[in-house]
Amino acid sequence: MSDEQTPYTPPQAPLSGRAPAPAGSDPRGSLGAGIGLFFACLVGGGLVAWILRIAILAAVPDWTYAGPMFAIPALLPWLAALVLGLWLASRGRTRTALGILVGFGLLAAVVLLLVAACFGIVAGMGGFS
């Protein structure tokens, strides 16, 4: 056996100028973050639209068309979630964009279950006649 040892050489740095991503991080984003962003857009946008509606109704109380006029701003949180998903997909954060799409699907599933439960309650009380 030989008592010779080779000297220690540290590992080489990557050749690109960017630092490598941390071990637990996915550069495509997170599915859970996308779902959270979807519901944050709906809740935050809904609050903003509600506050805007109350402010305008307080400023102009006799305005006849104030109620129907706010149908379009009520759709803006949905549009914001859609635009955010498309923007994230164009930036390479495809898993986060997919999470926003899953958020749309989750909300549609909850609405479908609530409608089915209401039909079940009505049918259990004697039907629709």
Side-chain angles (χ1 to χ4, degrees):
M1 293 240 280
S2 169
D3 288 331
E4 255 181 67
Q5 293 184 353
T6 58
Y8 172 75
T9 57
Q12 296 292 324
L15 296 177
S16 68
R18 297 184 327 186
S25 174
D26 188 1
R28 296 176 299 154
S30 166
L31 194 65
I35 294 170
L37 282 172
F38 171 74
F39 285 106
C41 277
L42 289 189
V43 170
L47 286 173
V48 168
W50 181 66
I51 290 170
L52 180 67
R53 180 178 188 270
I54 287 180
I56 291 178
L57 285 176
V60 188
D62 294 333
W63 200 8
T64 308
Y65 298 107
M69 186 187 84
F70 284 103
I72 298 207
L75 295 175
L76 289 179
W78 297 89
L79 184 64
L82 183 66
V83 168
L84 179 64
L86 292 173
W87 180 76
L88 286 169
S90 72
R91 306 275 290 175
R93 310 283 291 184
T94 54
R95 284 183 54 90
T96 307
L98 181 64
I100 290 177
L101 184 64
V102 168
F104 275 109
L106 282 173
L107 195 60
V110 167
V111 167
L112 180 67
L113 287 174
L114 287 173
V115 168
C118 289
F119 275 110
I121 290 171
V122 169
M125 292 187 325
F128 295 100
S129 56

